[in-house]
Amino acid sequence: MKNRILLAGVLSTVLCGGSACGLFQSGGPKLAELSENATPAERAFYFGMKAGYAEQWEESATHFAEAVKLDPGSQKAKVNYGVALERSGDLKAASGVYREVFEADSENLAALKNLVRALIAVNELKEARSVLTTAAKSAPENPELLNSMSGVLRRLKKYDAAAAAARKVLLRDQNNAAAIKNLALIYADTKKLQLAETFFINAMKLAEKDASIRVNLGLIAYRRGDHQRAIKEFEEALKLDPKNAVAFMNIGAIRLSFRDYARAESSFSSAIEAGMLNCTTAPALGYAFEGQSDKSEQALDQLGKAFELCPRETDLLFTMGEICMNKLRDDARALGYFEQYVGLKKGLAKDHMVYQNIEILKEQMAMSEELEQEELSEEASGDMQEAGGAEGANESAESESSEEPESLNSVKSEGDVKVAKPSSSEEKEDEEEGSAG
Amino acid sequence: MRVKKYVSLPVVIALCSIGFSASSALAATKAGKSVEEAEKAPAQFQVAVDSLEMDARADVKRDEAIAKLRKILPKVRGPQKAELLFRLAEKFWAKSRYQYLRAMQDLDEALDAWDDAGRKGREPKLETFAAYDQSELYKREALKLYDNILAKYPRYSRKDEVYYNLGSSLYDAGSKRQGIAMFWKLIKQFPRSPFAPDAWLQLGEHFFNSGAGKLNQAIKAYRAAAKTKKPRIFSFALYKLAWCDFNLGEYEKSLRKFRKVISYAKKQEARSDVSKGELGKRDRIQLMEEALADMVRAYSHLDAVDDAFEYYREEVGEEPAYAYLHRLSKLYNKEGKYDVEIKAYEKLNSLYPYAASAPENQTAIMNAYSNLGKNDRVRREVRRLIDLYSPNGTWAQKNAGNEAVLAKAFEVVETQLSGIVTEQHRAAQQTKLVETYKLARDIYKEYLEKFTDTANSKKFRFYYAEILFELKQFEEAAVQYDMVASIEGEYRKPASYTSVLAWEKVASGVKETLGKRITERKGVKSKGKLKELEKLKKLRKGQSYEPTELTEVEMKLATACDRFVEVAPKDKEVVKLKFKSARLYYIHNQFDKAAERFGEIIDRWPEDSLGRLAAELIVESFNVRSDWTQLNTWSRKFQANKRLMGDRTFRKKIGEFVEGASFNEILYVFEPKEGPKEIADRYVGFAKEFPKSKYVLVGLFNAVINYDKANVLERSIDEAERILADYKDFKFKKEDIEKSKREGAKLPDPKDIREKTLFLTASFYERLAEFDTSARLYEQYVREFKKGPKRSDAIFNAAVFRDGLGEFDEAIKNFKQYIKENPTKDDVPLLEWKIGLILERKKDHRAVEKHFAYYGRKYGKLNQERKLCANYKVVQSWIKQGKEREVARGYADLIKGYAALKSDEDKQKPCALDAVAEASFVTLDKEYKSYEAISLKVKTRDFDKNFKKKLSMIDSLTAKYTGVLAIGQGNFGIASLYRIGKMYQHLAKSLYELPCPRKLDDDQCGIYQSLLQEKAFPLDDKALEAFDKALLKAYELGLYNEWLTLTQEALVNYEPGRFPAVRTYDLIASEMVSEVPQLMEAN
């Protein structure tokens, strides 16, 4: 485009202003030293920050919880507590904390932004808009509010209103990166991909290190059906910002759609690790596991977590049922998931597969029960008949059991042997029993 | 100033226990005479006033005594009664004295109050006080009693005393004749009475005081008194006889008698017996002191300085001798014996250089020389006075600690100097002689150097300046005038004015000749008139007007002018003076300072003709130097001055200055130092104030630019649209055009500003992502500005936006316009290509075909790769049009074209690779379909043939697909692998699906199918191998395309549960709401 140099100049100054531009390249944030005179609350806050910066989010959340307890008036400690909870995977609890702070102080922008983002993450777009509308009453011109509102409205496909909010910001600050992005993305969403692309390409010429531009160019390429180009852009974004969760997420989504499950798993795991835990990444990781024949249990576990995070995503239950039914051959669990699905999913067609599955499972289970009983009766009669040969059988058992202690001992004595951590309580119990034996 | 406390009688000798006379000093004081004059008279026979007697408590006692006497008197008869009456008379007399003193005290206080009140109203008189009336009453009572005694008791034993008392009382009461008669009666009737010598002495005093004609009678009376053996009578009579000789001009005799009084007193002191003798110690000392002091008078007539000093030193010692000689010196002065006076003072100062009165002596010497007219000696003595007795001099050091002495000396020196300088100035004015003026000048100088802050210093400095001016020492005079003018006072105004005159004379550099005589005139402007105002050169733009410093004299002249205006604001010449001051700064290019002064003229005297001139000078001074702030400020100030704006031409001129300076101030003054928002606001303010100004368009445009810089796009758009709407047909006034031609200045072209604004506005909307508006404005630009410098950019941008908005026809139209107008630009081929792509998006496949065919023809010769790609596009358009024959031909041409590419680089270009890969792959479709078309469901005899044929074709096609794979184009590489797998799968499937021949029974059929399966299984393995290869390669290279999906579907045939259902998610944008949450720092 001709004579776009002015716009490009503007963009160069603004698009690289956020955390997405080289934040991690510079070695991450540095924490100021703790003062000797720090109060207990300040100490807890400090250690919360320290653990957070070290990506130890659960520990961080513990410290911030303590900080909040010691100083209930500290809004920053509360917001950080929410962030730590969110980063450690508890988005629901985090949302609660953000909401609590926001409801106490509707001008707390940090709490508001986090709450809105959290609501978007769980697809609560109308609620996000409602929250922003409330906040805007006291600060109608606030650019951050307007930009957030623009983002939410765009997701609600209210493009004119979204554009108006973004332009309101630009009229006062044409360099506002978020507003510019919002407008470009509105064009992208309204299928004016070329305008959006032109916009980002021009921006990229002068803000080469802005990973977000690459991500959005990737998005546009994807919308055009050019998946290769899209992935290339996302990978370029990751070169600029190796922890760019959105890039990971988008790559994962493409890979998942083309059943490249192993790679999709890697992408979604990275996205979640980079802080993007939401109703896309959490189930998507589960589906990536699902596509890998040897990772059915992990799939089930991850989809369970996703459902906990996103209880509206009831389809997850159906998938989990199918995994149990088809991969794990665990009819009881499968039936449980299917029945839960039927209970929660409204408006299911009568001929839905789930009903068929339930019927099949029930039949199978009934048959299995019959068979088991038959086997038991056979075993009982067999025992009676083979009572005289029990000695030999015992010998055999002894010879088998003579090997068992050795393996158990090796586990017990060798601390360096890596033993996978049981993921369910059932496994734990097994381990305990084994140890006891 | 009135002396606050009336001094007591200077010489009081108690020679008598009764009677009183306090009148002498009072009389002298009341008569306005000085104490010194009172001192001229010799000591008189007076009554000492006993303070105890005058005490109020004593008076109470007296009243008690009077009451007792009055009680007793009626009961007493005979001589005893005379005695009681005599005592009663004494008491009344004493009471009369007491009341008299009270009256005097009251008078004293009343006079103080009267004086403090500024001597307003009537001066208090003694007679008006009640105590005085009381005194007179008691006096009359006493005299009545004395008369009564003499009348009723002629044989009263103390009759001589009654005579004396009555005589004294009458004399003191003013009845001198009756009093003298009583003294004579006493002398005649009681020549041996102890009161007779007193009576003689009283007679002597009477005659002595009765004038020169009675001096012989006085001598006789004194001599008669001296015959008494009473020492106090004798010594006083002798003392008065010395005075009689003095008065008769017999100074030697007088001196001897005075010496005798002293020697007698000394002898009396040796044999003093106060109980017997009648000359008490106090009286003796007093008389000696009187005599010693009065001898000075005698010496004064004898010119015997050395003799006198020696006598005194011998008789009374050095210190008193110093005092007597000092007194003698004063007398010499009074008698005009200045030479001797000088001698006496010089003797004192040489003998006692550090005496407290040494400065006083020196001033006396100085005055004496002055009196002698010896000017050189006066100058010398003045210098000595200052040198010797300055605060840091030896004399002051010797007297350090004695503050009173130092203060007095300072006062004396100052007083004397001021006296002499006044005298000399007066003399100069009288004589008009230059030399006399010079002496006065020098003394003034000396005085002013020593005394800077005395009561006289201001006045003297002014006089000094006046004399200097008269002596034509103008610079020195000016300096002195300035000093006087800087201080409040009566001389400030004349000094201020004459200072200007003096500095003007100095500044003019003209030397004036001094004559022999000077006629000094008085009055504020007595020294002449101000110089006429000189014409100022007109300033010219373009010339340098670097400020130069005023000379020191000019600076002082300017200051003097300013000061006079301040000192005498109502003087008729103040405007002229202020103008002079301003002019000095103006000619030195110090226009700011000049403006302050000119401005003052305009403010204070707007109707004065100099006001307009000043205003013009101010604005011109700032205009020629492009000092826009000052020009703006002053022009506006003048504009607000209605009187000044009375003249139409001037008003118009000032209006132009206000407008121009307002604009230029923003442009040149505020722009370099303020932020863009503030600057923009200023330009908008200018446009609001001057909506029709010739600068308004530039101002608004600058506002647009600055709002943009300040990142306030909203305001940029507002102002830009204002230019476009409100100033669409803006034209400069004819006079503005002519003026700019005259001044050689170029006016901005309104069209030029509109052109820039229109383009900018389009770009603003572009930044707001309002691409439709932006495109419309760019197109408007193209319509309005056929030769606009940004025309091609505008067309291009409009085209891009139209394309983006899906307005393909407008986009193409714009691109074509661009190409038409810029046929040689480098980007033309690219845009031609772009037009083709737009046509593709428009789905106008026929037009696509036509356009890319044209493109290939036009640019193919220059770039084979482009030509290949254009042909590729043509082929794609044929596909869309269903032109299969052309497609087949086109693919063949593409393959040939690719092979013909000479450059490896060209061959690796995506478009070329896509073209050749697709062409190569699709070209195989026919063959592939042929392969699929070969059926194995044929008669047995044909089965082998067909089977072999298929196997053969698999080999052949695999080789060809491998060739496609080798091209290196990912998508068609995967497609080729898929096709390879598909061929094997197809063959295997064909085998599985073969029905058993009818002739075979079931068992045979089973064997048949087993045999077929044996043949098919390896084929499936090959298919799976190819599919897996395709799958892995696609995953590895991220080639997520339809061929991958087909591959997956093909694989599902072998392993139905291998792939779960396809899960899709919308990709998300990178934006604020998708950012990962971050922790907030504590602070």
Side-chain angles (χ1 to χ4, degrees), chain B residues 710-723:
Chain B
N711 192 19
V712 193
L713 196 56
E714 190 175 18
R715 297 299 308 276
S716 285
I717 291 173
D718 287 349
E719 299 311 324
E721 289 185 337
R722 187 170 158 197
I723 292 173

Side-chain angles (χ1 to χ4, degrees), chain B residues 497 501 525 528-531 564-565 568 570-580:
Chain B
Y497 186 82
L501 294 182
K525 297 179 181 175
K529 289 181 180 178
L530 294 171
K531 280 178 72 180
F564 183 76
V565 177
K570 292 180 179 173
D571 192 280
K572 63 180 181 181
E573 289 199 277
V574 287
V575 187
K576 193 173 173 185
L577 278 164
K578 187 51 84 174
F579 198 90
K580 274 175 180 284

Side-chain angles (χ1 to χ4, degrees), chain A residues 1-4 6 45 49 53 76 79-80 86-87 110 117 120 144 148 154-155 167 170-175 181-183 185 187 192 194-195 212 215-216 219 222 227-228 231 234 246 250 254-255 257-261 263 274 276 280 283-284 287 290-291 319, chain B residues 708 711-714 717 759 766-771 790 793 796-797 800-801 803-805 818 827 834 841 971 1035-1036 1038-1041 1044-1045 1048 1057-1083:
Chain A
M1 182 169 298
K2 300 287 177 179
N3 267 37
R4 293 297 299 270
L6 183 60
F45 191 97
M49 294 297 291
Y53 286 165
K76 275 190 182 175
V79 172
N80 281 355
E86 186 177 346
R87 298 294 295 267
R117 193 199 54 259
I120 291 171
E144 288 196 67
S148 294
R154 181 169 61 78
R155 281 171 169 75
R167 285 194 180 111
L170 284 182
L171 282 169
R172 308 281 163 83
D173 174 14
Q174 61 179 306
N175 301 333
K181 279 184 195 173
N182 275 332
L183 280 168
L185 291 170
Y187 278 109
K192 294 188 174 65
Q194 197 184 345
L195 285 176
S212 75
V215 170
N216 291 330
L219 178 71
Y222 177 79
H227 303 139
Q228 278 169 264
I231 287 179
F234 297 139
V246 180
N250 287 342
I254 294 173
R255 284 172 170 169
S257 68
F258 282 93
R259 292 165 161 164
D260 187 356
Y261 296 111
R263 286 182 178 80
M276 183 178 277
T280 300
Y287 293 135
E290 183 199 9
T319 306
Chain B
D708 186 22
N711 192 19
V712 193
L713 196 56
E714 190 175 18
I717 291 173
F759 192 88
E766 180 184 328
R767 286 181 230 172
L768 280 176
E770 287 194 30
F771 297 113
K790 303 265 185 181
D793 293 342
F796 184 92
N797 291 350
V800 170
F801 297 151
D803 181 22
L805 292 164
Y818 179 89
D827 57 357
K834 204 170 177 66
R841 283 197 286 279
N971 287 328
Y1035 287 164
E1036 182 190 333
L1039 299 170
Y1040 300 119
N1041 54 31
L1044 171 61
T1045 309
Q1048 288 166 346
R1058 181 167 177 175
F1059 299 106
V1062 172
R1063 310 281 183 187
T1064 56
Y1065 283 99
D1066 279 345
L1067 269 61
I1068 58 170
S1070 180
E1071 57 185 318
M1072 197 175 80
V1073 292
S1074 61
E1075 284 171 8
V1076 170
Q1078 302 294 331
L1079 292 175
M1080 297 163 76
E1081 294 278 358
N1083 293 307

Side-chain angles (χ1 to χ4, degrees), chain A residues 239-302:
Chain A
K239 282 180 191 168
L240 297 170
D241 173 13
K243 291 192 175 182
N244 192 300
V246 180
F248 279 128
M249 148 70 204
N250 287 342
I251 292 172
I254 294 173
R255 284 172 170 169
L256 186 67
S257 68
F258 282 93
R259 292 165 161 164
D260 187 356
Y261 296 111
R263 286 182 178 80
E265 176 204 331
S266 168
S267 299
F268 288 125
S269 296
S270 298
I272 292 169
E273 201 177 308
M276 183 178 277
L277 179 68
N278 55 34
C279 290
T280 300
T281 53
L285 178 60
Y287 293 135
F289 284 130
E290 183 199 9
Q292 299 173 74
S293 56
D294 56 341
K295 292 186 176 176
S296 298
E297 280 292 355
Q298 283 157 281
L300 198 61
D301 182 50
Q302 178 60 34

Side-chain angles (χ1 to χ4, degrees), chain A residues 121-157:
Chain A
V122 295
N123 294 325
E124 297 281 3
L125 296 176
K126 288 183 180 173
E127 176 62 12
R129 183 170 65 172
S130 169
V131 165
L132 285 167
T133 306
T134 305
K137 283 175 188 168
S138 56
E141 306 291 329
N142 185 292
E144 288 196 67
L145 282 182
L146 287 166
N147 283 328
S148 294
M149 182 62 96
S150 177
V152 170
L153 290 169
R154 181 169 61 78
R155 281 171 169 75
L156 287 166
K157 303 191 189 306

Side-chain angles (χ1 to χ4, degrees), chain B residues 432-478:
Chain B
K432 306 187 190 311
L433 291 172
V434 168
E435 281 311 309
T436 320
Y437 270 106
K438 284 182 177 175
L439 176 61
R441 173 198 66 191
D442 294 343
I443 301 172
Y444 274 130
K445 185 172 184 247
E446 297 286 358
Y447 176 93
L448 291 167
E449 281 175 2
K450 175 73 178 170
F451 304 103
T452 52
D453 189 24
T454 65
N456 289 319
S457 56
K458 268 190 279 184
K459 176 173 71 182
F460 286 179
R461 193 171 295 285
F462 178 71
Y463 292 156
Y464 177 44
E466 295 274 274
I467 290 174
L468 287 168
F469 193 96
E470 295 295 351
L471 291 169
K472 304 201 184 299
Q473 292 177 246
F474 296 119
E475 185 159 2
E476 293 89 334

Side-chain angles (χ1 to χ4, degrees), chain B residues 13 48 78 116 203 259 321 405 434 453 495 573 604 742 832 969:
Chain B
I13 303 170
D116 290 345
L203 286 169
R259 285 183 174 181
V405 167
V434 168
D453 189 24
E573 289 199 277
R604 294 172 66 176
R742 278 200 308 276
E832 290 278 23
Q969 204 275 0

